[in-house]
Amino acid sequence: MSIKRGFWIVFFSGFWQLSDAACLNTTQLETLQQNEQNYLLNRIPPAFTHAVSDQLVTLKVTEKQDEPCTALLTLSLPAAHLEEANAVLDAEPAKKIMLAAQGYAIPSTTQIEAAFRVTPANLEIPSTEILQTAALGQLRASVEMMYSLITQARANLAENAQNTTPWSTAYQQANTQRCTEKYTAQTGQDRVAACACQAKTLAAHVSERQMAYIDYVRSNPYAMATGSSQYFARLESKTKSDCGLAAKK
């Protein structure tokens, strides 16, 4: 083989390898993964946050080997959570039909994927990739609906529920602070002491996580319409009365 011919073989072989090189490096993929996890944590109701914290839900972003500059998001979900969300929908056939008509569906498997294009220079995801008709937008909407249903269901307390997991000091303080901003104490009573009384009483019945579910339901008009947390509403009303609290006017 001539030297000239050998040169061109080596040159084109190197060019082929270069053209086949990954578009997104490891650091970029890790950043995309963290960005997507942060997005989901900030958007999806607290049952999802707790699942991630418990390492029941895992998220991974890789690059599609056959499509440079295309990332692949893989989300692993617990089978028990799929069953929990489906049980909520099965109990409300009308809602299930309505959501399906709008294009919403609970994931059908414990591992779901979505491929999406990425701009390597700034790691931006084109707007077309996050539409609900696109794979990534569809995955996000599906997981959000699933954990919204789970959160709403978990906000419902059984009558005379008891909590055996004490609130952390930090959570008690935060709850008391929020109470002092929202309520006043009856004449002659200390508002901080009254709020501490309420926190102590609620903690005997409701866990920190259940409080997060209830807070979500109360902050979400659609979730409120489901009637979640009716027992808690009665419990809170009695606690306010017993501890000498009244809503600010």
Side-chain angles (χ1 to χ4, degrees), residues 43-48 85 88 95 99 106 140-155 213 216-217 220 222-223 226 228:
R43 182 177 179 84
I44 300 180
F48 178 79
V88 175
K95 178 189 290 187
L99 290 171
I106 294 171
R140 287 174 171 180
S142 179
V143 175
E144 181 177 2
M145 184 186 79
M146 172 180 168
Y147 281 98
S148 293
L149 293 170
I150 291 174
T151 296
Q152 291 167 34
R154 292 181 182 178
Y213 305 143
Y216 164 77
V217 167
N220 186 306
Y222 175 78
T226 65
S228 292

PDB file of all heavy atoms in Angstrom, residues 43-48 85 88 95 99 106 140-155 213 216-217 220 222-223 226 228:
ATOM      1  N   ARG A  43     -41.859  21.831  40.693  1.00  0.00           N
ATOM      2  CA  ARG A  43     -43.170  21.885  40.050  1.00  0.00           C
ATOM      3  C   ARG A  43     -44.154  20.835  40.566  1.00  0.00           C
ATOM      4  O   ARG A  43     -45.352  21.100  40.694  1.00  0.00           O
ATOM      5  CB  ARG A  43     -42.999  21.709  38.530  1.00  0.00           C
ATOM      6  CG  ARG A  43     -44.302  21.788  37.760  1.00  0.00           C
ATOM      7  CD  ARG A  43     -44.069  21.685  36.277  1.00  0.00           C
ATOM      8  NE  ARG A  43     -45.334  21.733  35.553  1.00  0.00           N
ATOM      9  CZ  ARG A  43     -45.973  22.847  35.201  1.00  0.00           C
ATOM     10  NH1 ARG A  43     -45.449  24.018  35.505  1.00  0.00           N
ATOM     11  NH2 ARG A  43     -47.112  22.809  34.538  1.00  0.00           N
ATOM     12  N   ILE A  44     -43.643  19.649  40.856  1.00  0.00           N
ATOM     13  CA  ILE A  44     -44.525  18.531  41.195  1.00  0.00           C
ATOM     14  C   ILE A  44     -44.814  18.515  42.693  1.00  0.00           C
ATOM     15  O   ILE A  44     -43.942  18.810  43.503  1.00  0.00           O
ATOM     16  CB  ILE A  44     -43.893  17.202  40.733  1.00  0.00           C
ATOM     17  CG1 ILE A  44     -43.687  17.250  39.206  1.00  0.00           C
ATOM     18  CG2 ILE A  44     -44.776  16.018  41.095  1.00  0.00           C
ATOM     19  CD1 ILE A  44     -43.071  16.003  38.622  1.00  0.00           C
ATOM     20  N   PRO A  45     -46.048  18.182  43.095  1.00  0.00           N
ATOM     21  CA  PRO A  45     -46.461  18.179  44.504  1.00  0.00           C
ATOM     22  C   PRO A  45     -45.560  17.345  45.415  1.00  0.00           C
ATOM     23  O   PRO A  45     -44.776  16.511  44.942  1.00  0.00           O
ATOM     24  CB  PRO A  45     -47.880  17.622  44.445  1.00  0.00           C
ATOM     25  CG  PRO A  45     -48.362  18.017  43.094  1.00  0.00           C
ATOM     26  CD  PRO A  45     -47.176  17.870  42.206  1.00  0.00           C
ATOM     27  N   PRO A  46     -45.674  17.546  46.745  1.00  0.00           N
ATOM     28  CA  PRO A  46     -44.711  17.000  47.703  1.00  0.00           C
ATOM     29  C   PRO A  46     -44.544  15.486  47.737  1.00  0.00           C
ATOM     30  O   PRO A  46     -43.493  15.008  48.159  1.00  0.00           O
ATOM     31  CB  PRO A  46     -45.214  17.519  49.057  1.00  0.00           C
ATOM     32  CG  PRO A  46     -46.601  18.011  48.820  1.00  0.00           C
ATOM     33  CD  PRO A  46     -46.652  18.429  47.403  1.00  0.00           C
ATOM     34  N   ALA A  47     -45.513  14.708  47.310  1.00  0.00           N
ATOM     35  CA  ALA A  47     -45.328  13.251  47.310  1.00  0.00           C
ATOM     36  C   ALA A  47     -44.142  12.862  46.426  1.00  0.00           C
ATOM     37  O   ALA A  47     -43.441  11.887  46.708  1.00  0.00           O
ATOM     38  CB  ALA A  47     -46.596  12.554  46.829  1.00  0.00           C
ATOM     39  N   PHE A  48     -43.898  13.639  45.371  1.00  0.00           N
ATOM     40  CA  PHE A  48     -42.755  13.382  44.488  1.00  0.00           C
ATOM     41  C   PHE A  48     -41.451  13.723  45.209  1.00  0.00           C
ATOM     42  O   PHE A  48     -40.483  12.955  45.160  1.00  0.00           O
ATOM     43  CB  PHE A  48     -42.877  14.205  43.204  1.00  0.00           C
ATOM     44  CG  PHE A  48     -41.713  14.035  42.260  1.00  0.00           C
ATOM     45  CD1 PHE A  48     -41.628  12.918  41.448  1.00  0.00           C
ATOM     46  CD2 PHE A  48     -40.705  14.995  42.185  1.00  0.00           C
ATOM     47  CE1 PHE A  48     -40.546  12.752  40.576  1.00  0.00           C
ATOM     48  CE2 PHE A  48     -39.627  14.836  41.324  1.00  0.00           C
ATOM     49  CZ  PHE A  48     -39.551  13.713  40.511  1.00  0.00           C
ATOM     50  N   ALA A  85     -51.702   5.736  42.522  1.00  0.00           N
ATOM     51  CA  ALA A  85     -52.318   6.755  41.657  1.00  0.00           C
ATOM     52  C   ALA A  85     -53.473   6.172  40.850  1.00  0.00           C
ATOM     53  O   ALA A  85     -54.517   6.806  40.688  1.00  0.00           O
ATOM     54  CB  ALA A  85     -51.262   7.344  40.722  1.00  0.00           C
ATOM     55  N   VAL A  88     -56.662   5.887  42.843  1.00  0.00           N
ATOM     56  CA  VAL A  88     -57.380   7.158  42.988  1.00  0.00           C
ATOM     57  C   VAL A  88     -58.259   7.399  41.760  1.00  0.00           C
ATOM     58  O   VAL A  88     -59.434   7.755  41.879  1.00  0.00           O
ATOM     59  CB  VAL A  88     -56.401   8.334  43.174  1.00  0.00           C
ATOM     60  CG1 VAL A  88     -57.153   9.665  43.205  1.00  0.00           C
ATOM     61  CG2 VAL A  88     -55.590   8.168  44.449  1.00  0.00           C
ATOM     62  N   LYS A  95     -63.540  11.485  36.324  1.00  0.00           N
ATOM     63  CA  LYS A  95     -62.285  12.237  36.263  1.00  0.00           C
ATOM     64  C   LYS A  95     -61.286  11.529  35.353  1.00  0.00           C
ATOM     65  O   LYS A  95     -60.572  12.166  34.575  1.00  0.00           O
ATOM     66  CB  LYS A  95     -61.682  12.386  37.660  1.00  0.00           C
ATOM     67  CG  LYS A  95     -60.344  13.134  37.661  1.00  0.00           C
ATOM     68  CD  LYS A  95     -59.645  13.088  39.010  1.00  0.00           C
ATOM     69  CE  LYS A  95     -60.369  13.916  40.031  1.00  0.00           C
ATOM     70  NZ  LYS A  95     -59.592  14.012  41.303  1.00  0.00           N
ATOM     71  N   LEU A  99     -59.601  13.360  32.142  1.00  0.00           N
ATOM     72  CA  LEU A  99     -58.155  13.542  32.033  1.00  0.00           C
ATOM     73  C   LEU A  99     -57.605  12.852  30.786  1.00  0.00           C
ATOM     74  O   LEU A  99     -56.730  13.397  30.101  1.00  0.00           O
ATOM     75  CB  LEU A  99     -57.459  13.022  33.290  1.00  0.00           C
ATOM     76  CG  LEU A  99     -57.685  13.844  34.562  1.00  0.00           C
ATOM     77  CD1 LEU A  99     -57.131  13.116  35.784  1.00  0.00           C
ATOM     78  CD2 LEU A  99     -57.034  15.225  34.443  1.00  0.00           C
ATOM     79  N   ILE A 106     -51.496   8.292  33.568  1.00  0.00           N
ATOM     80  CA  ILE A 106     -50.502   7.816  34.518  1.00  0.00           C
ATOM     81  C   ILE A 106     -49.529   6.908  33.765  1.00  0.00           C
ATOM     82  O   ILE A 106     -49.954   6.137  32.895  1.00  0.00           O
ATOM     83  CB  ILE A 106     -51.189   7.041  35.661  1.00  0.00           C
ATOM     84  CG1 ILE A 106     -52.066   7.997  36.480  1.00  0.00           C
ATOM     85  CG2 ILE A 106     -50.175   6.351  36.570  1.00  0.00           C
ATOM     86  CD1 ILE A 106     -52.949   7.307  37.494  1.00  0.00           C
ATOM     87  N   ARG A 140     -43.222  14.875  31.704  1.00  0.00           N
ATOM     88  CA  ARG A 140     -43.395  15.796  32.831  1.00  0.00           C
ATOM     89  C   ARG A 140     -44.853  15.851  33.280  1.00  0.00           C
ATOM     90  O   ARG A 140     -45.153  15.782  34.470  1.00  0.00           O
ATOM     91  CB  ARG A 140     -42.923  17.200  32.430  1.00  0.00           C
ATOM     92  CG  ARG A 140     -41.415  17.354  32.314  1.00  0.00           C
ATOM     93  CD  ARG A 140     -41.077  18.731  31.783  1.00  0.00           C
ATOM     94  NE  ARG A 140     -39.655  19.043  31.845  1.00  0.00           N
ATOM     95  CZ  ARG A 140     -39.117  20.195  31.440  1.00  0.00           C
ATOM     96  NH1 ARG A 140     -39.912  21.134  30.929  1.00  0.00           N
ATOM     97  NH2 ARG A 140     -37.820  20.399  31.544  1.00  0.00           N
ATOM     98  N   ALA A 141     -45.763  15.990  32.311  1.00  0.00           N
ATOM     99  CA  ALA A 141     -47.184  16.106  32.638  1.00  0.00           C
ATOM    100  C   ALA A 141     -47.709  14.824  33.279  1.00  0.00           C
ATOM    101  O   ALA A 141     -48.506  14.856  34.221  1.00  0.00           O
ATOM    102  CB  ALA A 141     -47.988  16.431  31.380  1.00  0.00           C
ATOM    103  N   SER A 142     -47.242  13.694  32.785  1.00  0.00           N
ATOM    104  CA  SER A 142     -47.690  12.401  33.294  1.00  0.00           C
ATOM    105  C   SER A 142     -47.260  12.193  34.746  1.00  0.00           C
ATOM    106  O   SER A 142     -48.061  11.791  35.594  1.00  0.00           O
ATOM    107  CB  SER A 142     -47.107  11.289  32.411  1.00  0.00           C
ATOM    108  OG  SER A 142     -47.497  10.023  32.870  1.00  0.00           O
ATOM    109  N   VAL A 143     -46.004  12.506  35.045  1.00  0.00           N
ATOM    110  CA  VAL A 143     -45.487  12.323  36.405  1.00  0.00           C
ATOM    111  C   VAL A 143     -46.115  13.341  37.356  1.00  0.00           C
ATOM    112  O   VAL A 143     -46.425  13.029  38.512  1.00  0.00           O
ATOM    113  CB  VAL A 143     -43.944  12.435  36.418  1.00  0.00           C
ATOM    114  CG1 VAL A 143     -43.405  12.368  37.842  1.00  0.00           C
ATOM    115  CG2 VAL A 143     -43.324  11.332  35.579  1.00  0.00           C
ATOM    116  N   GLU A 144     -46.323  14.568  36.867  1.00  0.00           N
ATOM    117  CA  GLU A 144     -46.954  15.585  37.707  1.00  0.00           C
ATOM    118  C   GLU A 144     -48.375  15.162  38.086  1.00  0.00           C
ATOM    119  O   GLU A 144     -48.781  15.285  39.249  1.00  0.00           O
ATOM    120  CB  GLU A 144     -46.992  16.930  36.987  1.00  0.00           C
ATOM    121  CG  GLU A 144     -47.613  18.028  37.826  1.00  0.00           C
ATOM    122  CD  GLU A 144     -47.588  19.396  37.159  1.00  0.00           C
ATOM    123  OE1 GLU A 144     -47.111  19.493  36.015  1.00  0.00           O
ATOM    124  OE2 GLU A 144     -48.055  20.360  37.789  1.00  0.00           O
ATOM    125  N   MET A 145     -49.140  14.655  37.116  1.00  0.00           N
ATOM    126  CA  MET A 145     -50.498  14.224  37.419  1.00  0.00           C
ATOM    127  C   MET A 145     -50.485  13.069  38.408  1.00  0.00           C
ATOM    128  O   MET A 145     -51.265  13.031  39.367  1.00  0.00           O
ATOM    129  CB  MET A 145     -51.230  13.798  36.149  1.00  0.00           C
ATOM    130  CG  MET A 145     -52.686  13.440  36.415  1.00  0.00           C
ATOM    131  SD  MET A 145     -53.565  12.762  34.991  1.00  0.00           S
ATOM    132  CE  MET A 145     -52.980  11.072  35.016  1.00  0.00           C
ATOM    133  N   MET A 146     -49.581  12.136  38.212  1.00  0.00           N
ATOM    134  CA  MET A 146     -49.500  10.961  39.079  1.00  0.00           C
ATOM    135  C   MET A 146     -49.264  11.359  40.534  1.00  0.00           C
ATOM    136  O   MET A 146     -49.973  10.917  41.440  1.00  0.00           O
ATOM    137  CB  MET A 146     -48.358  10.063  38.586  1.00  0.00           C
ATOM    138  CG  MET A 146     -48.018   8.901  39.495  1.00  0.00           C
ATOM    139  SD  MET A 146     -46.660   7.930  38.786  1.00  0.00           S
ATOM    140  CE  MET A 146     -46.232   6.906  40.197  1.00  0.00           C
ATOM    141  N   TYR A 147     -48.298  12.248  40.756  1.00  0.00           N
ATOM    142  CA  TYR A 147     -47.978  12.622  42.135  1.00  0.00           C
ATOM    143  C   TYR A 147     -48.939  13.666  42.705  1.00  0.00           C
ATOM    144  O   TYR A 147     -49.027  13.819  43.919  1.00  0.00           O
ATOM    145  CB  TYR A 147     -46.515  13.050  42.241  1.00  0.00           C
ATOM    146  CG  TYR A 147     -45.616  11.832  42.296  1.00  0.00           C
ATOM    147  CD1 TYR A 147     -44.973  11.360  41.155  1.00  0.00           C
ATOM    148  CD2 TYR A 147     -45.465  11.113  43.478  1.00  0.00           C
ATOM    149  CE1 TYR A 147     -44.197  10.213  41.200  1.00  0.00           C
ATOM    150  CE2 TYR A 147     -44.683   9.968  43.530  1.00  0.00           C
ATOM    151  CZ  TYR A 147     -44.053   9.521  42.395  1.00  0.00           C
ATOM    152  OH  TYR A 147     -43.284   8.371  42.446  1.00  0.00           O
ATOM    153  N   SER A 148     -49.680  14.358  41.839  1.00  0.00           N
ATOM    154  CA  SER A 148     -50.758  15.222  42.326  1.00  0.00           C
ATOM    155  C   SER A 148     -51.862  14.367  42.927  1.00  0.00           C
ATOM    156  O   SER A 148     -52.392  14.670  44.001  1.00  0.00           O
ATOM    157  CB  SER A 148     -51.330  16.066  41.178  1.00  0.00           C
ATOM    158  OG  SER A 148     -50.397  16.998  40.706  1.00  0.00           O
ATOM    159  N   LEU A 149     -52.215  13.288  42.232  1.00  0.00           N
ATOM    160  CA  LEU A 149     -53.248  12.378  42.725  1.00  0.00           C
ATOM    161  C   LEU A 149     -52.824  11.730  44.043  1.00  0.00           C
ATOM    162  O   LEU A 149     -53.614  11.628  44.989  1.00  0.00           O
ATOM    163  CB  LEU A 149     -53.529  11.290  41.677  1.00  0.00           C
ATOM    164  CG  LEU A 149     -54.179  11.757  40.374  1.00  0.00           C
ATOM    165  CD1 LEU A 149     -54.174  10.620  39.349  1.00  0.00           C
ATOM    166  CD2 LEU A 149     -55.597  12.253  40.617  1.00  0.00           C
ATOM    167  N   ILE A 150     -51.560  11.321  44.116  1.00  0.00           N
ATOM    168  CA  ILE A 150     -51.059  10.677  45.329  1.00  0.00           C
ATOM    169  C   ILE A 150     -51.054  11.670  46.491  1.00  0.00           C
ATOM    170  O   ILE A 150     -51.460  11.341  47.616  1.00  0.00           O
ATOM    171  CB  ILE A 150     -49.639  10.116  45.086  1.00  0.00           C
ATOM    172  CG1 ILE A 150     -49.698   8.927  44.121  1.00  0.00           C
ATOM    173  CG2 ILE A 150     -48.992   9.687  46.405  1.00  0.00           C
ATOM    174  CD1 ILE A 150     -48.348   8.400  43.696  1.00  0.00           C
ATOM    175  N   THR A 151     -50.624  12.898  46.224  1.00  0.00           N
ATOM    176  CA  THR A 151     -50.580  13.923  47.272  1.00  0.00           C
ATOM    177  C   THR A 151     -51.977  14.215  47.806  1.00  0.00           C
ATOM    178  O   THR A 151     -52.189  14.311  49.017  1.00  0.00           O
ATOM    179  CB  THR A 151     -49.929  15.214  46.732  1.00  0.00           C
ATOM    180  OG1 THR A 151     -48.563  14.942  46.390  1.00  0.00           O
ATOM    181  CG2 THR A 151     -49.969  16.329  47.768  1.00  0.00           C
ATOM    182  N   GLN A 152     -52.936  14.364  46.896  1.00  0.00           N
ATOM    183  CA  GLN A 152     -54.315  14.634  47.316  1.00  0.00           C
ATOM    184  C   GLN A 152     -54.875  13.493  48.155  1.00  0.00           C
ATOM    185  O   GLN A 152     -55.549  13.719  49.169  1.00  0.00           O
ATOM    186  CB  GLN A 152     -55.193  14.860  46.086  1.00  0.00           C
ATOM    187  CG  GLN A 152     -54.892  16.157  45.351  1.00  0.00           C
ATOM    188  CD  GLN A 152     -55.546  16.210  43.990  1.00  0.00           C
ATOM    189  OE1 GLN A 152     -56.638  15.683  43.804  1.00  0.00           O
ATOM    190  NE2 GLN A 152     -54.888  16.827  43.025  1.00  0.00           N
ATOM    191  N   ALA A 153     -54.588  12.263  47.762  1.00  0.00           N
ATOM    192  CA  ALA A 153     -55.087  11.106  48.509  1.00  0.00           C
ATOM    193  C   ALA A 153     -54.459  11.044  49.899  1.00  0.00           C
ATOM    194  O   ALA A 153     -55.132  10.741  50.887  1.00  0.00           O
ATOM    195  CB  ALA A 153     -54.786   9.820  47.736  1.00  0.00           C
ATOM    196  N   ARG A 154     -53.168  11.358  49.975  1.00  0.00           N
ATOM    197  CA  ARG A 154     -52.468  11.285  51.256  1.00  0.00           C
ATOM    198  C   ARG A 154     -52.827  12.441  52.187  1.00  0.00           C
ATOM    199  O   ARG A 154     -52.525  12.387  53.379  1.00  0.00           O
ATOM    200  CB  ARG A 154     -50.954  11.250  51.023  1.00  0.00           C
ATOM    201  CG  ARG A 154     -50.479   9.968  50.358  1.00  0.00           C
ATOM    202  CD  ARG A 154     -48.978   9.967  50.157  1.00  0.00           C
ATOM    203  NE  ARG A 154     -48.525   8.754  49.483  1.00  0.00           N
ATOM    204  CZ  ARG A 154     -47.262   8.519  49.157  1.00  0.00           C
ATOM    205  NH1 ARG A 154     -46.320   9.412  49.446  1.00  0.00           N
ATOM    206  NH2 ARG A 154     -46.922   7.394  48.554  1.00  0.00           N
ATOM    207  N   ALA A 155     -53.451  13.472  51.649  1.00  0.00           N
ATOM    208  CA  ALA A 155     -53.876  14.595  52.491  1.00  0.00           C
ATOM    209  C   ALA A 155     -55.089  14.227  53.324  1.00  0.00           C
ATOM    210  O   ALA A 155     -55.413  14.920  54.296  1.00  0.00           O
ATOM    211  CB  ALA A 155     -54.183  15.818  51.623  1.00  0.00           C
ATOM    212  N   TYR A 213     -48.705  17.584  52.503  1.00  0.00           N
ATOM    213  CA  TYR A 213     -49.776  17.226  51.568  1.00  0.00           C
ATOM    214  C   TYR A 213     -50.983  18.144  51.759  1.00  0.00           C
ATOM    215  O   TYR A 213     -51.585  18.625  50.798  1.00  0.00           O
ATOM    216  CB  TYR A 213     -50.210  15.773  51.783  1.00  0.00           C
ATOM    217  CG  TYR A 213     -49.097  14.759  51.694  1.00  0.00           C
ATOM    218  CD1 TYR A 213     -49.070  13.643  52.520  1.00  0.00           C
ATOM    219  CD2 TYR A 213     -48.048  14.914  50.777  1.00  0.00           C
ATOM    220  CE1 TYR A 213     -48.046  12.699  52.441  1.00  0.00           C
ATOM    221  CE2 TYR A 213     -47.028  13.987  50.698  1.00  0.00           C
ATOM    222  CZ  TYR A 213     -47.029  12.882  51.537  1.00  0.00           C
ATOM    223  OH  TYR A 213     -46.016  11.966  51.468  1.00  0.00           O
ATOM    224  N   TYR A 216     -50.361  21.584  50.424  1.00  0.00           N
ATOM    225  CA  TYR A 216     -50.472  21.602  48.964  1.00  0.00           C
ATOM    226  C   TYR A 216     -51.938  21.682  48.537  1.00  0.00           C
ATOM    227  O   TYR A 216     -52.306  22.483  47.672  1.00  0.00           O
ATOM    228  CB  TYR A 216     -49.829  20.360  48.351  1.00  0.00           C
ATOM    229  CG  TYR A 216     -50.247  20.140  46.908  1.00  0.00           C
ATOM    230  CD1 TYR A 216     -49.689  20.902  45.884  1.00  0.00           C
ATOM    231  CD2 TYR A 216     -51.244  19.214  46.577  1.00  0.00           C
ATOM    232  CE1 TYR A 216     -50.103  20.746  44.574  1.00  0.00           C
ATOM    233  CE2 TYR A 216     -51.662  19.046  45.268  1.00  0.00           C
ATOM    234  CZ  TYR A 216     -51.084  19.820  44.275  1.00  0.00           C
ATOM    235  OH  TYR A 216     -51.506  19.664  42.970  1.00  0.00           O
ATOM    236  N   VAL A 217     -52.764  20.848  49.146  1.00  0.00           N
ATOM    237  CA  VAL A 217     -54.187  20.833  48.797  1.00  0.00           C
ATOM    238  C   VAL A 217     -54.811  22.200  49.038  1.00  0.00           C
ATOM    239  O   VAL A 217     -55.594  22.699  48.226  1.00  0.00           O
ATOM    240  CB  VAL A 217     -54.920  19.747  49.611  1.00  0.00           C
ATOM    241  CG1 VAL A 217     -56.429  19.918  49.499  1.00  0.00           C
ATOM    242  CG2 VAL A 217     -54.517  18.358  49.136  1.00  0.00           C
ATOM    243  N   ASN A 220     -53.911  24.788  46.381  1.00  0.00           N
ATOM    244  CA  ASN A 220     -54.275  24.447  45.013  1.00  0.00           C
ATOM    245  C   ASN A 220     -55.801  24.399  44.891  1.00  0.00           C
ATOM    246  O   ASN A 220     -56.436  23.471  45.410  1.00  0.00           O
ATOM    247  CB  ASN A 220     -53.664  23.080  44.657  1.00  0.00           C
ATOM    248  CG  ASN A 220     -53.879  22.709  43.209  1.00  0.00           C
ATOM    249  OD1 ASN A 220     -55.004  22.710  42.718  1.00  0.00           O
ATOM    250  ND2 ASN A 220     -52.807  22.377  42.526  1.00  0.00           N
ATOM    251  N   TYR A 222     -57.829  23.540  42.556  1.00  0.00           N
ATOM    252  CA  TYR A 222     -58.367  22.317  41.962  1.00  0.00           C
ATOM    253  C   TYR A 222     -58.350  21.177  42.981  1.00  0.00           C
ATOM    254  O   TYR A 222     -59.305  20.423  43.110  1.00  0.00           O
ATOM    255  CB  TYR A 222     -57.555  21.914  40.730  1.00  0.00           C
ATOM    256  CG  TYR A 222     -58.000  20.592  40.134  1.00  0.00           C
ATOM    257  CD1 TYR A 222     -59.150  20.516  39.351  1.00  0.00           C
ATOM    258  CD2 TYR A 222     -57.276  19.428  40.377  1.00  0.00           C
ATOM    259  CE1 TYR A 222     -59.577  19.304  38.820  1.00  0.00           C
ATOM    260  CE2 TYR A 222     -57.700  18.207  39.849  1.00  0.00           C
ATOM    261  CZ  TYR A 222     -58.841  18.157  39.065  1.00  0.00           C
ATOM    262  OH  TYR A 222     -59.257  16.957  38.555  1.00  0.00           O
ATOM    263  N   ALA A 223     -57.237  21.077  43.728  1.00  0.00           N
ATOM    264  CA  ALA A 223     -57.126  20.024  44.732  1.00  0.00           C
ATOM    265  C   ALA A 223     -58.134  20.243  45.852  1.00  0.00           C
ATOM    266  O   ALA A 223     -58.718  19.297  46.382  1.00  0.00           O
ATOM    267  CB  ALA A 223     -55.706  19.973  45.293  1.00  0.00           C
ATOM    268  N   THR A 226     -61.512  18.736  45.485  1.00  0.00           N
ATOM    269  CA  THR A 226     -61.678  17.295  45.644  1.00  0.00           C
ATOM    270  C   THR A 226     -62.217  16.939  47.026  1.00  0.00           C
ATOM    271  O   THR A 226     -62.603  15.801  47.275  1.00  0.00           O
ATOM    272  CB  THR A 226     -60.339  16.562  45.448  1.00  0.00           C
ATOM    273  OG1 THR A 226     -59.423  16.953  46.493  1.00  0.00           O
ATOM    274  CG2 THR A 226     -59.720  16.897  44.097  1.00  0.00           C
ATOM    275  N   SER A 228     -60.410  16.987  49.798  1.00  0.00           N
ATOM    276  CA  SER A 228     -59.371  16.367  50.613  1.00  0.00           C
ATOM    277  C   SER A 228     -59.245  17.055  51.962  1.00  0.00           C
ATOM    278  O   SER A 228     -59.521  18.242  52.104  1.00  0.00           O
ATOM    279  CB  SER A 228     -58.024  16.441  49.880  1.00  0.00           C
ATOM    280  OG  SER A 228     -58.031  15.625  48.738  1.00  0.00           O
TER     281      SER A 228
END
